[in-house]
Amino acid sequence: MEELDLKELFEMFWNKKIKIILIVAIFAVIGVIYSIGFVVPEYTAFTKLVLAGQSSDPTGNTTEAITTTDLTINSKLVGTYSELVTSNDVVRQVITNTGIGISENALKNSIEVSSVEDTDVIRISVTNENPTYATKLANETAKAFMEKVAEIYNINNVHVVDEAEEPQSPSNVNHLKDVVIFTFIGVVIAVGYVLIANMLDNTIKTREEVERLYKVPVIAEIPLNLPEKGGKK
């Protein structure tokens, strides 16, 4: 019975293969159109900062030595520093210094702060539709953040490892990925269409179906006369 069910299932999809291919192709084309025509390119620039270096001793003098205690404190401050990057003071200073027309909320939403696992390195990313703006905002954010840390903690233990460089390609555009996603959606819809159409179709098409459904043998069939060329039957 299993083999018969699998065979019927295969035949069900095979009989509607043209419609399945058509549905999948339509969604693939929609994916291409969406990816090329509707996705607004955005560029992401990032800078890396390290928590190490100069710190102030009790006498107010700076020292270059880095102790185990310093590294432990730095690790604990990574989360705090991440919050400071998107603080109101830092964001407002960045907007003022760059002169770029962007709202505070928009800038906050475009900034992403992450720490490299098991390190004292912080990565600040800024996304913008203009690659030059993204670069300027990222570098200025790092600068304003360093000044804020020095102001609050009275230490200069944050240093730039890599300055942001202008991105050459959008970070949110992946034509292949978009097409694959839409194609997959098309496959799912095509399969759903075939299954639903088969469930709603209660017609009997073959003698085997009659025998299987009614458990009686078919002893006669009426042939179907198709119209000939010229309209004659």
Side-chain angles (χ1 to χ4, degrees):
M1 186 68 180
E2 257 183 49
E3 293 181 359
L4 182 61
D5 289 342
L6 291 175
K7 180 180 178 182
E8 290 178 352
L9 187 64
F10 174 78
E11 290 178 350
M12 179 177 65
F13 283 99
W14 181 256
N15 292 335
K16 291 183 170 56
K17 59 182 179 297
I18 301 299
K19 293 182 179 180
I20 293 175
I21 294 173
L22 183 60
I23 292 174
V24 173
I26 289 174
F27 273 86
V29 171
I30 293 175
V32 173
I33 296 173
Y34 168 79
S35 182
I36 296 177
F38 291 91
V39 177
V40 179
E42 293 182 342
Y43 299 83
T44 301
F46 64 89
T47 179
K48 290 183 180 179
L49 309 177
V50 64
L51 308 184
Q54 294 181 343
S55 58
S56 299
D57 60 22
T59 63
N61 298 321
T62 59
T63 175
E64 298 291 339
I66 304 175
T67 65
T68 304
T69 303
D70 292 332
L71 293 177
T72 302
I73 293 174
N74 285 339
S75 299
K76 292 181 178 179
L77 286 176
V78 168
T80 303
Y81 284 175
S82 299
E83 291 298 322
L84 286 178
V85 173
T86 55
S87 64
N88 291 333
D89 289 344
V90 171
V91 168
R92 289 166 185 167
Q93 184 177 342
V94 170
I95 295 175
T96 301
N97 293 347
T98 58
I100 296 175
I102 184 173
S103 66
E104 293 181 16
N105 288 333
L107 180 55
K108 286 182 180 181
N109 293 332
S110 68
I111 297 176
E112 182 178 347
V113 183
S114 60
S115 58
V116 180
E117 189 175 359
D118 298 328
T119 70
D120 297 322
V121 176
I122 294 178
R123 171 175 165 151
I124 300 176
S125 304
V126 179
T127 302
N128 194 277
E129 296 177 9
N130 187 312
T132 302
Y133 287 177
T135 306
K136 290 182 178 180
L137 291 170
N139 286 325
E140 192 60 40
T141 299
K143 179 181 177 182
F145 162 67
M146 292 167 61
E147 293 175 355
K148 193 66 176 177
V149 169
E151 175 188 337
I152 294 176
Y153 293 98
N154 196 29
I155 55 176
N156 296 312
N157 69 332
V158 183
H159 301 275
V160 176
V161 177
D162 292 321
E163 289 190 352
E165 298 180 355
E166 186 169 320
Q168 302 301 315
S169 58
S171 58
N172 67 327
V173 175
N174 189 330
H175 298 311
L176 179 59
K177 179 182 177 181
D178 292 337
V179 173
V180 170
I181 291 175
F182 274 86
T183 301
F184 177 75
I185 295 174
V187 171
V188 173
I189 291 178
V191 171
Y193 159 74
V194 173
L195 294 177
I196 293 175
N198 184 71
M199 290 174 57
L200 297 178
D201 185 5
N202 57 4
T203 60
I204 298 176
K205 300 178 179 61
T206 64
R207 61 181 296 172
E208 288 78 11
E209 290 185 25
V210 174
E211 294 176 348
R212 179 168 57 84
L213 293 173
Y214 297 100
K215 309 300 182 183
V216 294
V218 176
I219 58 177
E221 295 182 51
I222 300 176
L224 177 62
N225 291 327
L226 297 177
E228 299 177 358
K229 293 182 180 180
K232 296 181 180 180
K233 296 184 179 179

